[in-house]
Amino acid sequence: MQLNDLGYFEARGTNVLVYNNIYNGSFYDEKFAGLEIIQRGERIATGGGIRLMNTPEQWDIFGVVSPRRIDRKESSVEVDLNYEDYGFVPRFKVLPKDKGVVIQIWLDKPVPAELVGKAGMNLEFFPASYFGHNYLVDNLARILPKYPMHDTEVHPVSEKIPQYFGESTFDDRGRGDFLVPLPLSTGHRIVMAPEDEALRVSVTSDEEISIFDGRHLAQNGMFVLRSLLPGGKTGKVLEWYLEPSISNSWIRKPNIGFSQVGYTPAQKKVAVVEMDKNDSPESIGRLLKVNPDGSKDVVKRMTAKIWGEYHYRYNYVQLDFSDVREPGLYCIDYQGVETNAFPIDKDVYGDKWHPSMDISLVVNMDHMEVNEAYRIWHGRANMDDALQAPANVRLHDGYFQGNETNTKYQPLEHITGLAVGGWYDAGDFDIQANSVLNTTQDLAYVWREFKPMRDQTLIDEVTQYADIHVPDGVPDNVQLIMHGTVNINAQVENIGFVAQVIGQPDMHHYHHLGDAMTLTDGKVYDPSLARYEVKGDRSGTPDDRYVFTSRFSPAGTMQDIVSLAAAYPALKDYYPEEAERSLKNAKMLWDKYFEAAAPNPNAPAMMGRWGGGDSRINAAIELWIATGDQKYKDFFLPLVEKQLDAKPVAPRSNGNVQNGMFSTQFTGGPNLTAALKIYPYMDKQFQDKVKALVPAYVNVITRGGQDNPYGVAIGGATWAGNASVINNAYNCYRIWKYFPDMIDPEYVFAGLNFIFGCHPYSNVSFVEGVGVNTKKVAYNNNRADYSTIPGGIVPGLLVKEDFFENKDDYPFHWGENEACINTAPQYVLLCLAAIEVAEYLNK
Ligand SMILES: [Ca+2]
Ligand SMILES: [Ca+2]
Ligand SMILES: [Ca+2]
């Protein structure tokens, strides 16, 4: 194996990465760090390093990784793994040998006594990659189990290496235990999947190697190979010979990217083929039309346009069949691969937003029973909401409660009225402010821009019951907006503002999988009762969610106003009381916090540079649209005009996937975010001013796609970029809507093509259940079932080193597969925009 320029070991068909990826810190062990194996184009192993338990979980501690030391002379890569709390700093060194690599562990001091029997060399394999395969341990043959079914022991918790921040993932019901999975097998040589050369990895050592199944502790657990480090020794204390599977003839099958929903006749149609560098691209691809009898005709021979290398690993080729307009069923045949069939039809976009509105946004409703035909997705959850979070509590999801509550409540006091509305924000069950606010706001924009009258869901906020595929006479868009406002209004009225998060009180509840109704007992916590004791509607089980009220800022309440005021016009014809309530609370917050929400002139210039830093602008715009009251316009108009006059400078980066629509941050171009929102209501003078800035703005929002063959900006360092792709495409639509001659409407489709399958790594549609070949798994709250919730949009492609990934057999990577709820209305907006553009182009 050769140490390549990127500092990992490479041979045909297999790569061994050595801490090219490290633990990034936000969510601890993301199963994307350490020694990793990419074989035949799939990452099959990760987490190689020194760990302190048999099968580490997400919140188990790992050593702080030093910068990598690469020795080109001996072709080695070495890191220190520093366990600061234990004064333990093993050196982890990898160098090539024979048909693989040796992994050596070096110690300057012996393993500390408290870590003997705990510190070991681990390497983790993705279970789903190995489903249906075997392993050899020495000469014994064993099956890799589809489901965990081996043995564990409980040990006294005094022996446990504490997890980060003293978290505990295990509910020991007060017994003082923790769980230790026992080895499935032990020997000196373990070969994973010897029968399959794509998966075969052999590990040999003079020390014993055991294989464990981490799924006994956590559904996202891995198959782990592990050797304990010997006590009392220094120098080279352990060596593994790791032999992956090299193939001198392997060539990755081309990945033909195209839209899995198909194409509308008038649009551009360009498939992008991702190809192995050892492959020589054929000059011609064929578009086949599928006939009713199953036969296929070649309807177009497409000249393969070589795009070239992108992101080091692969070459790219484009196949253009834009001129094929005849409705029908087609597939692409290129380089020995025939794709699945897909339609060309003028209505391909017509129903693609339905699953998001009908299913994803409904199934993720908090405080509701959700039914679909014979199936109850979940019961009425979190009916004991919620307690004032006590001081100095840290929440696993990055939230913290400081000393100040900013409310009238005592720590752990029950706050009434909160068990209504809202959504599970993503793969977990908390209500995050930015998530509930932006989902509500963007649903309100769906109504404002498109007024979809679709009614296919019964939503009853009185009995807190929703029934999917059951019309009830009220447009679902309106009812979904209301499901947001009832929660936002409840928070504003009972807490005083929308809290940063209403989240689980401890780790055991946070990692809950299953029916959300079973997450808590629905009874309000009463500390005077014994643990697990129940009395009437109260219980001694501390499972109620906490309201985290730190980080309150007056400026933050402006987003509460935006969501409530934007909802008002949608609600007023159907739910006038809720509409008036929303508007009243929005105005109240405006009057109460207007002065205090002013940007601090002494704050770092970052947010204020182009005048976009005043959160009151958006609030005033929405209040003005809702009420027509001139005082709001008098406030925002000069500020928006100032934005138009400002010299654009690079604003702060926008890494937060949970921002709402219109939150795109601009670099080096004019900021028209607010101006476009008010554009249709303004006079000609204002409109002309905006128009003059459009070319520069278009340049900003379209240039991100110029560096790659897919024509959209691909993000993906710590969180994949589908939400940005959707936002950017929708921004292009807004320009096209007002200035149809100033932007190519194909930019609207380009974003959808990418989401629907024209992307690297695979050609699966990233919208669950939408398209022909769609996501099989996602990090939804049903992820333990290796399933999906239709209409959810997964984040998409992570880009690590030179490697794109969106696993479709392992649902537990949130950065790739967590369908955040607020992406759903953004996607709906884009689909409705695409319908409009398609109708225009097909005319
Ligand atoms: Ca969350
Ligand atoms: Ca309805
Ligand atoms: Ca409870």
Side-chain angles (χ1 to χ4, degrees), residues 512-699:
H512 178 87
L513 291 172
D515 187 332
M517 193 183 79
T518 59
L519 180 52
T520 74
D521 58 10
K523 296 176 182 301
V524 174
Y525 175 58
D526 181 346
S528 73
L529 298 176
R531 210 172 164 119
Y532 311 119
E533 186 184 350
V534 173
K535 211 177 236 176
D537 58 1
R538 307 183 82 80
S539 92
T541 306
D543 59 11
D544 303 19
R545 294 194 294 195
Y546 288 171
V547 182
F548 285 73
T549 51
S550 288
R551 293 187 195 160
F552 166 76
S553 79
T557 62
M558 295 297 117
Q559 180 57 43
D560 307 359
I561 296 171
V562 169
S563 299
L564 290 175
Y568 172 79
L571 295 176
K572 73 175 192 301
D573 291 339
Y574 295 92
Y575 300 107
E577 269 179 47
E578 182 65 13
E580 293 308 324
R581 180 191 181 201
S582 300
L583 193 56
K584 181 170 153 244
N585 282 327
K587 286 181 182 166
M588 179 277 291
L589 290 169
W590 175 265
D591 293 339
K592 188 168 177 184
Y593 294 114
F594 173 77
E595 292 295 340
N600 178 356
N602 301 319
M606 215 144 57
M607 282 304 284
R609 276 182 184 169
W610 30 249
D614 193 336
S615 62
R616 299 174 299 179
I617 296 175
N618 266 337
I621 289 172
E622 294 302 339
L623 281 167
W624 176 65
I625 293 172
T627 65
D629 188 332
Q630 183 70 23
K631 77 171 178 186
Y632 300 114
K633 187 176 179 183
D634 289 345
F635 173 77
F636 72 70
L637 194 54
L639 291 170
V640 174
E641 285 179 332
K642 203 170 128 202
Q643 279 183 352
L644 297 182
D645 293 335
K647 196 166 169 268
V649 202
R652 67 173 179 182
S653 74
N654 175 13
N656 187 351
V657 296
Q658 283 164 344
N659 282 334
M661 206 50 130
F662 311 122
S663 66
T664 311
Q665 305 261 329
F666 300 95
T667 48
N671 173 22
L672 300 187
T673 309
L676 286 174
K677 209 186 226 189
I678 56 174
Y679 182 85
Y681 310 105
M682 292 291 125
D683 61 20
K684 185 158 184 311
Q685 196 195 349
F686 181 93
Q687 292 187 336
D688 286 347
K689 207 164 173 182
V690 173
K691 189 171 182 179
L693 292 168
V694 164
Y697 179 81
V698 167
N699 180 41

Side-chain angles (χ1 to χ4, degrees), residues 111-237:
V111 177
E114 60 201 313
L115 296 184
V116 173
K118 293 194 165 71
M121 167 69 205
N122 285 24
L123 178 60
E124 308 186 353
F125 292 82
F126 287 98
S129 304
Y130 284 87
F131 286 168
H133 290 87
N134 302 275
Y135 67 101
L136 289 171
V137 51
D138 297 333
N139 289 317
L140 300 175
R142 296 281 182 270
I143 296 169
L144 286 162
K146 183 85 190 278
Y147 202 79
M149 52 187 179
H150 197 61
D151 302 341
T152 65
E153 281 176 352
V154 286
H155 290 194
V157 78
S158 57
E159 292 175 13
K160 184 171 167 62
I161 301 289
Q163 296 181 309
Y164 276 107
F165 292 98
E167 299 281 11
S168 177
T169 48
F170 178 54
D171 178 11
D172 66 357
R173 300 293 288 191
R175 287 155 39 109
D177 293 332
F178 77 108
L179 266 186
V180 179
L182 298 178
L184 312 185
S185 303
T186 299
H188 289 275
R189 181 177 191 195
I190 294 182
V191 188
M192 301 291 283
E195 72 270 35
D196 186 335
E197 69 152 45
L199 294 170
R200 186 173 61 244
V201 176
S202 163
V203 178
T204 313
S205 178
D206 292 341
E207 303 293 328
E208 285 191 332
I209 310 164
S210 295
I211 177 168
F212 297 89
D213 186 344
R215 295 172 299 166
H216 292 95
L217 301 190
Q219 271 72 14
N220 61 352
M222 310 280 273
F223 293 136
V224 184
L225 301 193
R226 170 167 165 89
S227 294
L228 289 175
L229 301 187
K233 283 194 179 170
T234 57
K236 187 171 76 180
V237 299

Side-chain angles (χ1 to χ4, degrees), residues 271-341:
V272 181
V273 187
E274 184 180 61
M275 294 184 67
D276 197 310
K277 282 185 180 168
N278 293 307
D279 215 349
S280 14
E282 287 170 5
S283 57
I284 297 290
R286 303 182 309 160
L287 187 75
L288 309 178
K289 186 159 192 234
V290 185
N291 299 315
D293 65 359
S295 63
K296 291 169 190 156
D297 298 327
V298 178
V299 291
K300 184 174 174 63
R301 296 170 63 80
M302 301 171 281
T303 305
K305 185 180 155 207
I306 310 290
W307 193 91
E309 181 184 294
Y310 170 57
H311 228 276
Y312 313 115
R313 188 171 277 256
Y314 301 122
N315 284 321
Y316 293 84
V317 166
Q318 293 171 325
L319 302 171
D320 191 332
F321 54 102
S322 299
D323 57 345
V324 177
R325 287 169 164 245
E326 191 185 313
L329 205 53
Y330 295 86
C331 57
I332 299 162
D333 174 28
Y334 180 64
Q335 198 82 6
V337 172
E338 189 177 298
T339 67
N340 61 267

Side-chain angles (χ1 to χ4, degrees), residues 358 639 768 785:
D358 297 4
L639 291 170
E768 298 165 46
D785 305 321

